[in-house]
Amino acid sequence: MTDTNWFFIGTDPRLAMCSEMLSERGFNSYHIGTDQYTEQLGEQLAELAPKHIVFPILQMKGTIPPEALVEGARLYTGVASEEWLAPFKESGFSVQPYLKDEQFIWQNARLTAEAFVHVYYANLQRQIAGSSFAVAGFGKVGKATAHVLASLGARVTVIARSAAQLGEAEAMQYETIQLTDDFHMNEGQLVNTIPAKWLSLPEGSTLRVFDLASAPGCLKEQPPSEYYTIHLGLPGKHFPVDAAAALADALERMYSR
């Protein structure tokens, strides 16, 4: 057992590729393709006694008994509730969420924006240059998406509640619209990056919505419009190698710290 033993858990292809990348970088790395705790997983943990364990991107079904982990192991988690994490923290394990690594978030945002362009071309078979897009939200994914669209010649309008975000968007020479509770938009093209239900589509609306945000999506309680599509996990679907490399870089940074 050494400090460089890594153990990846999960069926997402990015995790398998990330494990291979760490092996190429000189670490001892092993991957098992499961998203839930099994007897086989427990046996492999006991045999390999890894010091670094990378959990699935989405929360596992069930959990690993803390006593099955070697003392001092560092746990790298994806999406996980505090309730699910509590047994590990109470047992004194270091828990580090890789989805909150700042550089990884930005890399993932850039990949998401480029992947959206791929989705747009494939689905609509229309050019972006000269088209108009509204981008809802001006966080990392919103900024990256607005930048990519504008660089391809699109007219971009940023929609946000935050005065700071609107001010930043204006400084970047985007048109802006203040998002209010009674906001409505009935036509055009909207790229949503806000992970909340904030948008109502009135009957007869022809607004085409591309939702890039995580659950629950942007539509309020109503059946999705035929013009509404949700696109989750774009980096892993369209750029799996680049997405895996971004994760490997994040884990190596966290390891070094």
Side-chain angles (χ1 to χ4, degrees), residues 1-101:
M1 179 183 69
T2 72
D3 184 56
T4 59
N5 282 347
W6 286 76
F7 191 90
F8 285 75
I9 304 168
T11 58
D12 191 300
R14 285 171 288 181
L15 295 170
M17 283 187 279
C18 189
S19 176
E20 292 177 5
M21 289 176 180
L22 286 191
S23 294
E24 293 169 358
R25 298 180 188 187
F27 296 92
N28 301 316
S29 187
Y30 183 85
H31 169 257
I32 181 171
T34 181
D35 291 322
Q36 59 185 346
Y37 183 71
T38 63
E39 184 176 335
Q40 180 190 9
L41 173 56
E43 291 172 354
Q44 290 175 329
L45 285 169
E47 177 184 352
L48 298 170
K51 293 288 286 187
H52 302 274
I53 302 171
V54 182
F55 285 86
I57 293 172
L58 298 180
Q59 183 173 299
M60 286 181 67
K61 297 176 182 178
T63 187
I64 298 175
E67 58 270 20
L69 305 179
V70 67
E71 183 179 356
R74 294 168 66 179
L75 314 182
Y76 304 86
T77 59
V79 176
S81 67
E82 282 302 316
E83 180 182 7
W84 190 86
L85 293 171
F88 300 116
K89 292 182 177 181
E90 291 169 0
S91 298
F93 289 103
S94 170
V95 177
Q96 302 179 54
Y98 52 79
L99 295 181
K100 294 184 179 180
D101 178 84

Side-chain angles (χ1 to χ4, degrees), residues 192-246:
N192 177 62
T193 68
I194 301 173
K197 295 184 177 183
W198 63 271
L199 179 64
S200 294
L201 293 179
E203 187 174 351
S205 170
T206 59
L207 176 66
R208 186 173 291 275
V209 181
F210 304 91
D211 203 336
L212 308 188
S214 56
C218 67
L219 290 187
K220 294 182 177 179
E221 298 296 336
Q222 63 186 68
S225 161
E226 62 177 310
Y227 295 103
Y228 172 86
T229 53
I230 190 164
H231 307 278
L232 303 179
L234 288 179
K237 291 176 182 176
H238 295 279
F239 307 119
V241 174
D242 297 296

Side-chain angles (χ1 to χ4, degrees), residues 129-181:
S131 299
S132 296
F133 290 84
V135 176
F138 205 58
K140 294 177 177 63
V141 174
K143 290 173 184 175
T145 302
H147 173 75
V148 168
L149 292 173
S151 69
L152 291 171
R155 295 183 294 272
V156 176
T157 298
V158 172
I159 303 170
R161 292 186 187 274
S162 164
Q165 289 187 349
L166 292 172
E168 186 174 3
E170 288 176 359
M172 295 179 177
Q173 299 187 323
Y174 298 121
E175 296 294 323
T176 61
I177 296 177
Q178 176 81 47
L179 179 57
T180 61
D181 291 338

Side-chain angles (χ1 to χ4, degrees), residues 115-126 208 210 229-231 234 238:
F116 166 67
V117 170
H118 177 83
V119 167
Y120 184 85
Y121 285 145
N123 290 354
L124 272 70
Q125 299 180 341
R126 298 289 302 275
R208 186 173 291 275
F210 304 91
T229 53
I230 190 164
H231 307 278
L234 288 179
H238 295 279

